[in-house]
Amino acid sequence: MLTTKRALTFGAGALASALALAACSSGNVSTDSGSAGGGGGGNVTLNLATVNNGQMKDMEKLKTEYEKANPGTTVNFQVMEEGDLRAAVTADVASGAGQYDIVTIGAYETPQWGANGWLVDLTPELQADSAYDVDDLLPPVRDVNTYDGKLFAVPFYGESSILMYNKEVLDKAGVTLSESPTWQQVADAAKKVNSADMSGICMRGKPGWGDLFAPLTTVVQTFGGNWYDDQWNATVDTPEWKQAVTFYKTMLDESGEKDPVSYSFNECLTALKEGKAAMWADASVAASMLEADDSPVKGKMGYAHMPVEKTQQSGWLWSWNLAIPSSTKQKDAALKFVKWATSKDYIKLVGQQIGWSNVPPGSRTSTYEIPEYKEAAAAYAPITLDVMSSVNPKQPGVNPQKWVGIQYVSIPEFQDVGNQCAQLVADYLADRTSVDDALAKCQELAQAAGDKHKG
Amino acid sequence: MSVTELDAVEAEAATEPRRVNKKELRAARGLLLPAVIFLVLLTQVPFVVTIVYSLLRWNLLYPNDRGFTGISNYVSALTSGDLWPSIVATVLITAFSVILSVALGMLFAILLDRPFRGRAVARTLMITPFLVMPAAASLIWKYSMFDTNIGILNWLSRTLGLPVVSWSTEHPMLSVVIVLTWQFTPFMMLILLAGLQGQDKGILEAAQVDGAGTWRTFTWITLPHLRMYVEIGVLLGSVIILQVFDPIAILTKGTGGTKTLAYLLYERAFIGLDVGQAAAYGVVTVILTIIVATVALRTLFKVFMAGGSR
């Protein structure tokens, strides 16, 4: 009797402590839900959820300008880390709670959320406004944010991926690269400049759908592979995939950084700045950081298109966009702010108030015609615009695909599939499994997700 | 622990001839009731909600497709092949980290037990790692220790002409265990140091008089005395490290056999965004933890019970 009681007590205690771990639900940031009145004159409070990137923080600084120009309007910024933002905004928008009037979403979410009816279609209002000039948006970026002919989100800034290399190092080794090198040429060049204290190339290897698989998917696509065929059959166990993944590993083994599983964007950026790596193929935004005033490699870098194999281009396409959830009660006020934050004038405002190199890139063609910006970003602006305008999100690979987008698949399951596959590939990069086993398991995961979208 | 006290009262009532008034006992229980009810509500309601969630088909990405699904989440949790490897990972990481921390903690405790100049400073320095936040500790190790370009460990091996080691890639499990050991050694050291300083000096002197050497004194007198403290350290350490998350998220992302239950749960909930499945994993994890914790807590209580048997 005593013992059972005691066991029960301990069980309850154990439950209590274990639950602290298990019963954690999504980390939703709750705030006061703004004003209830709506847009009918008077004071309006807009709640905006955004991601903690530099460009978004600049927007938060400049919101006072907007509030000055629109008396009675207050914009509340809720800045979060990318993963938290995704969870919080998805939960809010999916449940129709209406906590946010404006949300920041990636190009990956826009078409899916548009299809679910979670977002306000912005096409009519934007097309009616000639001053806004919706046709000035870069076509590929506009494409990834369009679903069924409707624009559901407007790009705040966009990026592609490019090859960045330390010109001094390559010149010393007598290596030259063209504007559009092939992966084989890049791997050979990396091998030539690789030394004990400087790796030839730095590439992401950290497991995660947005880490390792961002560049790796583009490599797969230019080698002729893709996640799915046009019937939603997974095609991960194909020879093209094997060739691409093996190539990636061989290049890392021969001349990459020593510890790929620890390396993603920030680690490679540091390695390049410190002179610990000679080349790097990654987000075009990195160029502005390598050319920043405090960067040791400022002015020493060369830039080229993302290396290719079978396709013309292999740069990815990503944009952070502003969208308005259908659940908002203040659509007009929200739209007004979204238009302001993605307008030509806003870009000039950032240039004048904060600095021309801080201008949100890759959203509008006109940005690249501003003289001050051309001067400030001379090293990388032309190539960024060139790459951003030439990638084709409708068919980045050799074969047609069912979704619009480059380094991801626009289906909800992709985060999960990409994440688990990235772990499998990371195991292969670390020699813990064979390429065939890793891709076979990944094929199963991808097929289970693809089956949901058939028919 | 109120119920335990009651048990003690009851036990006393059973052994002593003088019978405790039943009314008094009932009054005592009545007075405790509000606190007990409050505790039960506070701790068990979330768990009940978790159980309810685990029976639902609910993926945040498909908000319109919610419904009752029975035990299918449990079936997929048990058949997906993720559970067993992550139980193994959890047990291995916990066991290695605890054993190493206790061994090192013992060593440092013995060193700090004897008086020397600057002992207070040394002790403070030794305790520091335990005061560093887990995430910060993992980051410190990731960049300033393990990194192949700027890490101290690889600077050492380069200076000594040894090959560079890519810790997180080549030895993921070892990297996580090293970080945890570094964090928990001070914790064990504190417990064992308290034990050492609680030793009866008279007995030690007697041993010296009897001609026992340092080693024999340690194995025959100090170790048996420390047994209780080691047990407490192992228990508390295991319960804490079982739930560890930060080093895995920061160093290895669950690759190379380091995907512990806590990390698996995080992935299902925040990357898969599958509330039902995450809840099912959560319930399974809780059941496993209860089994471990019940056994562990029983032992812990044996330690706290009248220690005459030891």
Side-chain angles (χ1 to χ4, degrees):
Chain A
M1 171 68 212
L2 275 185
T3 43
T4 48
K5 228 188 216 174
R6 193 162 294 147
L8 274 178
T9 319
F10 297 151
L15 263 184
S17 56
L19 283 180
L21 165 78
C24 258
S25 69
S26 83
N28 213 335
V29 193
S30 63
T31 56
D32 57 323
S33 55
S35 76
N43 291 341
V44 181
T45 306
L46 294 172
N47 285 317
L48 187 151
T50 193
V51 66
N52 61 348
N53 291 356
Q55 285 91 345
M56 314 304 186
K57 289 182 186 156
D58 293 343
M59 174 170 38
E60 190 177 11
K61 279 183 210 147
L62 294 170
K63 74 171 189 185
T64 45
E65 298 283 330
Y66 180 80
E67 287 167 350
K68 254 187 267 169
N70 296 276
T73 305
T74 337
V75 188
N76 274 340
F77 269 66
Q78 289 175 23
V79 184
M80 296 172 240
E81 206 261 323
E82 184 175 336
D84 298 337
L85 175 83
R86 212 167 246 123
V89 171
T90 306
D92 178 72
V93 174
S95 59
Q99 188 185 325
Y100 304 116
D101 304 299
I102 303 166
V103 292
T104 308
I105 57 175
Y108 161 75
E109 278 100 0
T110 313
Q112 300 176 50
W113 291 16
N116 290 346
W118 295 351
L119 302 175
V120 173
D121 173 15
L122 306 170
T123 329
E125 280 87 350
L126 295 182
Q127 268 172 344
D129 187 346
S130 60
Y132 183 80
D133 193 6
V134 72
D135 295 321
D136 183 38
L137 298 175
L138 285 165
V141 187
R142 198 172 158 179
D143 284 343
V144 286
N145 287 300
T146 303
Y147 176 81
D148 200 12
K150 299 178 185 122
L151 191 64
F152 281 105
V154 272
F156 182 70
Y157 80 85
E159 64 171 40
S160 182
S161 55
I162 53 175
L163 177 73
M164 296 157 269
Y165 54 91
N166 192 319
K167 264 210 302 263
E168 279 189 356
V169 176
L170 265 70
D171 286 349
K172 222 180 270 172
V175 179
T176 47
L177 284 174
S178 68
E179 271 276 281
S180 281
T182 66
W183 267 117
Q184 199 49 57
Q185 287 166 350
V186 170
D188 293 343
K191 220 190 316 197
K192 273 203 185 115
V193 296
N194 189 44
S195 65
D197 41 12
M198 182 189 251
S199 63
I201 192 162
C202 189
M203 292 300 289
R204 299 180 186 190
K206 190 193 274 181
W209 71 281
D211 291 311
L212 164 63
F213 259 120
L216 188 53
T217 296
T218 65
V219 175
V220 165
Q221 284 171 334
T222 195
F223 272 71
N226 208 337
W227 283 92
Y228 296 99
D229 65 10
D230 55 3
Q231 300 294 317
W232 288 115
N233 296 308
T235 51
V236 180
D237 55 358
T238 50
E240 289 86 0
W241 260 84
K242 188 175 170 177
Q243 201 193 344
V245 175
T246 328
F247 167 83
Y248 200 82
K249 173 169 165 57
T250 310
M251 183 171 66
L252 281 175
D253 284 349
E254 284 173 347
S255 40
E257 71 275 15
K258 296 273 187 308
D259 195 4
V261 174
S262 305
Y263 274 62
S264 192
F265 182 89
N266 288 325
E267 290 81 4
C268 279
L269 177 65
T270 311
L272 247 79
K273 279 187 177 175
E274 305 273 321
K276 296 286 183 189
M279 296 199 279
W280 180 27
D282 211 307
S284 53
V285 168
S288 58
M289 301 170 189
L290 292 171
E291 299 292 343
D293 290 340
D294 59 352
S295 162
V297 292
K298 183 183 179 185
K300 299 177 184 174
M301 302 298 297
Y303 301 98
H305 283 234
M306 193 77 175
V308 290
E309 202 62 27
K310 287 181 184 165
T311 53
Q312 292 297 311
Q313 293 290 342
S314 82
W316 72 54
L317 190 65
W318 181 258
S319 63
W320 280 110
N321 321 285
L322 296 176
I324 302 170
S326 317
S327 51
T328 179
K329 296 182 180 64
Q330 316 187 87
K331 192 185 127 189
D332 295 344
L335 184 72
K336 198 172 174 187
F337 181 83
V338 168
K339 274 187 359 196
W340 171 81
T342 56
S343 65
K344 293 177 185 175
D345 292 346
Y346 174 82
I347 287 175
K348 290 191 181 116
L349 184 71
V350 175
Q352 287 151 5
Q353 300 257 349
I354 294 178
W356 285 101
S357 54
N358 299 60
V359 161
S363 58
R364 287 176 165 271
T365 315
S366 58
T367 307
Y368 294 88
E369 289 152 10
I370 303 171
E372 294 94 329
Y373 182 65
K374 274 168 120 170
E375 192 189 335
Y380 51 88
I383 186 139
T384 307
L385 178 66
D386 188 13
V387 172
M388 293 276 319
S389 331
S390 52
V391 291
N392 176 6
K394 289 175 179 164
Q395 190 187 322
V398 171
N399 301 313
Q401 61 181 36
K402 293 279 274 195
W403 69 99
V404 177
I406 301 186
Q407 87 276 30
Y408 51 83
V409 185
S410 274
I411 54 172
E413 295 83 3
F414 181 71
Q415 293 184 53
D416 200 15
V417 171
N419 189 54
Q420 292 188 55
C421 285
Q423 292 176 355
L424 292 164
V425 173
D427 275 340
Y428 165 62
L429 293 180
D431 293 317
R432 281 189 289 266
T433 175
S434 73
V435 63
D436 294 315
D437 284 355
L439 294 184
K441 279 186 197 144
C442 178
Q443 167 77 10
E444 279 174 35
L445 294 165
Q447 190 56 63
D451 286 343
K452 293 186 184 171
H453 296 272
K454 281 186 178 175
Chain B
M1 292 311 133
S2 50
V3 186
T4 330
E5 282 166 22
L6 274 180
D7 280 348
V9 172
E10 264 191 4
E12 239 174 60
T15 49
E16 288 196 10
R18 191 179 60 81
R19 294 203 45 194
V20 175
N21 190 340
K22 268 203 175 151
K23 244 189 206 166
E24 265 178 42
L25 208 59
R26 209 176 297 138
R29 285 211 171 118
L31 286 170
L32 276 174
L33 211 55
V36 171
I37 289 172
F38 178 72
L39 192 76
V40 166
L41 282 180
L42 206 69
T43 56
Q44 304 313 299
V45 167
F47 185 51
V48 173
V49 173
T50 306
I51 291 179
V52 171
Y53 282 170
S54 72
L55 300 173
L56 296 179
R57 181 181 63 252
W58 182 14
N59 187 315
L60 285 181
L61 302 162
Y62 290 102
N64 309 324
D65 180 34
R66 267 171 76 170
F68 183 75
T69 182
I71 57 160
S72 72
N73 283 323
Y74 289 94
V75 172
S76 70
L78 294 170
T79 55
S80 71
D82 289 339
L83 195 63
W84 180 245
S86 94
I87 291 173
V88 171
T90 312
V91 169
L92 285 180
I93 287 176
T94 309
F96 281 128
S97 315
V98 169
I99 291 168
L100 281 171
S101 317
V102 169
L104 288 171
M106 177 84 82
L107 184 74
F108 291 128
I110 291 165
L111 289 175
L112 285 174
D113 188 33
R114 51 202 60 205
F116 59 90
R117 202 188 294 197
R119 181 163 79 153
V121 177
R123 195 162 36 193
T124 313
L125 284 176
M126 290 298 316
I127 294 165
T128 314
F130 190 61
L131 306 178
V132 177
M133 279 183 294
S138 307
L139 283 169
I140 291 171
W141 277 89
K142 179 183 157 117
Y143 288 110
S144 48
M145 304 298 286
F146 289 146
D147 191 279
T148 44
N149 289 325
I150 52 174
I152 293 173
L153 292 178
N154 283 309
W155 171 81
L156 261 179
S157 54
R158 257 194 288 265
T159 324
L160 299 172
L162 299 167
V164 170
V165 184
S166 4
W167 288 93
S168 318
T169 301
E170 287 170 21
H171 312 290
M173 176 75 91
L174 187 61
S175 311
V176 172
V177 169
I178 287 175
V179 175
L180 287 172
T181 305
W182 179 79
Q183 272 219 282
F184 282 90
T185 297
F187 173 74
M188 303 297 179
M189 185 194 80
L190 277 179
I191 293 176
L192 295 173
L193 192 58
L196 283 174
Q197 295 188 335
Q199 270 191 118
D200 191 342
K201 296 285 180 289
I203 295 180
L204 292 179
E205 273 171 27
Q208 235 175 343
V209 170
D210 288 342
T214 325
W215 177 246
R216 292 195 72 174
T217 314
F218 177 70
T219 48
W220 287 92
I221 295 171
T222 310
L223 265 189
H225 167 77
L226 278 184
R227 183 182 150 179
M228 190 165 86
Y229 296 90
V230 170
E231 277 179 5
I232 293 173
V234 166
L235 289 171
L236 293 177
S238 306
V239 171
I240 299 171
I241 296 181
L242 262 181
Q243 314 176 357
V244 79
F245 175 83
D246 309 60
I248 292 133
I250 288 168
L251 288 168
T252 66
K253 295 273 180 196
T255 52
T258 58
K259 196 183 283 189
T260 56
L261 283 166
Y263 195 77
L264 178 69
L265 199 63
Y266 155 81
E267 275 191 350
R268 299 309 333 125
F270 292 96
I271 297 173
L273 292 175
D274 196 322
V275 178
Q277 217 180 51
Y281 273 114
V283 173
V284 172
T285 309
V286 167
I287 291 168
L288 289 170
T289 318
I290 289 176
I291 294 169
V292 173
T294 310
V295 173
L297 284 168
R298 275 200 176 173
T299 329
L300 188 59
F301 271 89
K302 252 190 219 152
V303 173
F304 283 128
M305 291 289 173
S309 57
R310 328 206 138 207

